[in-house]
Structure formats: C-alpha cells, structure tokens
Amino acid sequence: MNITRENIDALNAVVKVDIAKEDYSDKVEKILSDYRKSANIPGFRKGHVPMSLVKKQYGKAVLVDEVNKLLQDAIGKYLVEEKLDVLGNPLPKPQDDLDWDADAFSFEFELGLAPEFEVKLKGKKVIMHYNIVADDEMIANQVENIQKQYGKIISQDQIAEDSEITGKFVNEAENIENVATFSVDKIKGKANLKKFVGAKVGDVITLKTKNLFNVDYGLTTYLKVDHQVAKDLNVDVTFEVSEINKRELADLDQELFDKLFGPKVVTTVTELKEKIKADSEKQFAQQGDQKLLNDVTEYLVESTKFDLPSEFLQKWMQTAGEEPMTQEQAKEEYEKSEKSMRYQLIEGKLIAEHNLQVQFEELKAYAMDMIKGQMAQFGQMNPSEKELEDIAARIMSNQDEVKRLSEQLMSQKLLSLYKTEANLKTKEITYDDFVKEFYS
C-alpha cells in the first residue's frame, strides 16, 4: 500500500491511497474459506461447496468490504503519523468507473486542514468583568419575601392592595388559559389596580395585557405567554378570581432563623441580612462569570483572524448528518455554525497551549462538590464522604454525565485563564442594574 498527499493550498489537501493485490488477498481468501466451511448451498454438502462457486457468490462483496476496511484503517493511521489536524472527516472523491475486477485500486480523499493562527488574550480592548452586589433594597425585599413565605395565610372576602390572589387568565384567540397566583402589588397603574381592589371570589375582571404588570416577566410568568410574543402583546384578557388571601408576616425570631439555616447558625436580623447578601452574591458571581465568558468568547472570535476551508466543510456537511443536505442547505448550516467552529478551534488552541487538562480526580471532586450543593438545597447540610463518593461514582458511570461535567469543569478552567490573562476591568453593579442593562 502506498499513500501520498498533495497540498492544494494551506487549508486543502488530497490524499491518494494505492492498494495492491497483496494488501488484501490473504484476508479475502481466509474469509471465503471460512464461508466455504459453513455455506449452505442447495446441491452440495456443507463444507464441500466448490471454492469457485463461493467466490462467484460472495467474492465481490467480501473484496469491497475488506478494501473499505483497509482504507479506513490506513487513512486513520496516516493522519496520526503525519500529525495532520483536519476538520470534519476525509471525503472520498467519487469514482464512477471503479473496476472491482482489477487487482489494484486507487482512491483519493479530500482533506480540510485546520488553519494556523495565534490567539492573543491580552488585546487592546478592555473587557468588563461585573462584580454583581446585593444592595440594601434587594436584601430588604428578600427579608420580606421570607417573612411572607413563612407567615400565616389569612383568607379575605375581597381584594385589598396588600392581597395575594389566585385566578385564571383567559383569551381564547391567543390560546391563553392559565391559573396564576400573585400579589396585588405586581399590578401596574392606578386604572388596573382599581379594577382589582374590592373584587370578590367569582368576579371576572377584563384587562389589557399591555402594561398590566410592573415587572418585565409578568406576562410570561402569570399568563404563560412566550417571552418574544409578550413584548408586543396588547389584547384583552379576563381574570376570574378564585382565591383571596392576605399574608401575615412571620416574626424575625430564632425559630424562623433555625428553620432557614439550622440551629443557631443565624441569631440576629443583622446576621440574617449578611447571610442573604453572601448567598445572593455567590449566585450573582456565577452570572457575572457567565457574562465574562460570553464577552471573552465574542472578543476572541472577532479578534482572532484566520481562514477556514469553507467549501470543503460545506461539502462535508452535506453527508455528515443523519439526513443528507442539499448544497444550499449545507451553505446555510455552515453560515449558522461558522462562529461556533471558529471558537472551538480557538478554545482547542488555548487548551493545548496552557495545558488545561481535566484529570479524573479533579472531575470526581467537582462532581462531589456539585452533589453537596444540591443536597444542601434540600436541607441535607452534612452528607458523609461515603455518601458523596457513592453518588459521584454512579454519576461518573454514565458517559453522557462525564462529558457534561468535563465540559463544565473545562469552562471553569478557561474562565480562570481569562481572569488572569485577558485585559479585564472590574465594575461593581447592583443586580437590578445588571439585569436592566443586559437582559431587558
């Protein structure tokens, strides 16, 4: 067997594989001999079928199969030995006139080569890293929410401004039919509020969806309207009142603190607020880090310039999926995924250059930390080491879970790299301002 390569340009090459009779003949003969021993052909005893008949019936199929196996094995080894970094998979060039009755065969494969490029993390552009803080107003609201959650529910005859109400929103034309519970202070505007105050169970209120709630997510949360649709929705809905309650706030005492955090973990209102602030900012840090990860990704894709073998990749996409694509479909798919491909190449280079590897022991530790955090959410504050290890072992026996956790851990490693190497500036911002600025 002989393999040669012709580089068309920096991003495209053609590999030619020449296969001689001696490369496959012994394997083909052995397989046909085994077939002869077990073949059941009418008119012949088992194991006594003439070899000429076996070759006539099975020879071509066995030859084609063995040559294809040789090709796949040879191409795979060649790419490894030559240290070729290819995109997609080698594409066989069509051969309509291939003569399988010949002794020797030649095959050609197109290759898409990964580009050479340099990644500069510390560029001229400053990337903002947001330190999201919980301000006094947010903490006060959280304290009140806790008091409401653990307070007494008192049934009311009619709706007041401090009521919590349950009812059904309906608009048949827009397929809106949803039972929701919310406090009256979520209603926006005096005109809407006037319709609610004084209403009783069984009353039906007609409302406009536009500017109905004083929170951006109101229609999505309470009417179950798609977020994109909710932006411009301006229709009438009815709301039939089914329940009216008032929440009497729970006392901020040791009994409540112990319910929330365990015995004597928090003993004063000041400590409660400090705990809420710390827990909230721990969650906010994840959102700030995700924003940083997105912004650095955008920066790297925009600032790292290189070409891709686009024609090859589009051709490869036509046959790579479960369903074949037309040329036009492949072009459209390529345009959608090009940015992602670029970042995957950039990320791969950063991982290699900075030796960012995910080791088994750190993946196990990461899984155990994740499990511990999830158990804490359900009140299991001190699981044993054996418990954590047993659950982690079950998770890590699932290859899909291992892949998912490995990707998460690698994202953390890349994030740490960006924090130390990229041109960052830290900006403190309240959570409300962060949401308004980036997610409105």
Side-chain angles (χ1 to χ4, degrees), residues 222-268:
Y222 303 125
L223 276 69
K224 290 292 182 278
V225 176
D226 180 82
H227 178 68
Q228 293 300 321
V229 175
K231 289 180 180 179
D232 303 310
L233 189 66
N234 185 17
V235 298
D236 288 337
V237 290
T238 60
F239 179 79
E240 184 176 356
V241 182
S242 60
E243 193 176 335
I244 307 168
N245 295 306
K246 179 181 178 179
R247 285 193 179 258
E248 186 179 278
L249 298 183
D251 292 331
L252 295 173
D253 55 18
Q254 193 60 50
E255 183 181 354
L256 177 60
F257 300 156
D258 291 349
K259 278 182 186 177
L260 292 169
F261 306 109
K264 304 297 182 182
V265 174
V266 169
T267 58
T268 66

Side-chain angles (χ1 to χ4, degrees), residues 57-173:
Q57 189 157 343
Y58 301 110
K60 186 70 66 66
V62 171
L63 172 65
V64 171
D65 189 47
E66 283 306 306
V67 168
N68 279 326
K69 286 179 183 176
L70 272 173
L71 277 173
Q72 297 303 318
D73 186 52
I75 287 289
K77 286 181 179 176
Y78 178 79
L79 296 179
V80 172
E81 289 168 0
E82 294 294 311
K83 297 179 181 177
L84 290 177
D85 192 2
V86 299
L87 303 180
N89 290 318
L91 280 179
K93 290 183 114 179
Q95 286 181 281
D96 296 330
D97 57 347
L98 184 61
D99 181 10
W100 286 105
D101 291 323
D103 289 336
F105 309 100
S106 289
F107 301 90
E108 291 185 336
F109 293 84
E110 296 178 64
L111 302 182
L113 306 177
E116 294 288 336
F117 58 91
E118 183 181 358
V119 182
K120 293 182 179 178
L121 275 173
K122 199 177 286 293
K124 291 181 181 179
K125 181 181 176 181
V126 175
I127 300 170
M128 205 64 70
H129 183 205
Y130 292 93
N131 177 28
I132 308 169
V133 296
D135 59 7
D136 291 341
E137 182 182 357
M138 168 175 271
I139 294 168
N141 288 336
Q142 289 273 46
V143 171
E144 186 177 345
N145 287 337
I146 288 170
Q147 287 181 281
K148 286 180 179 178
Q149 183 181 347
Y150 288 89
K152 292 179 182 177
I153 298 176
I154 302 169
S155 179
Q156 292 183 298
D157 295 328
Q158 61 182 32
I159 297 174
E161 290 190 12
D162 60 352
S163 296
E164 180 180 279
I165 55 178
T166 300
K168 182 189 286 187
F169 286 103
V170 175
N171 178 303
E172 291 183 2

Side-chain angles (χ1 to χ4, degrees), residues 8 16 21 42 60 81 91 112 128 158 160 178 197 221 227 238 241 285-286 309 321 330 345 353 372 376 413:
I8 308 302
K16 185 180 180 185
K21 186 174 182 178
K60 186 70 66 66
E81 289 168 0
L91 280 179
M128 205 64 70
Q158 61 182 32
N178 190 60
V197 174
T221 302
H227 178 68
T238 60
V241 182
Q286 295 175 2
L345 287 169
E353 287 181 350
K372 193 173 182 179
K413 287 174 175 281

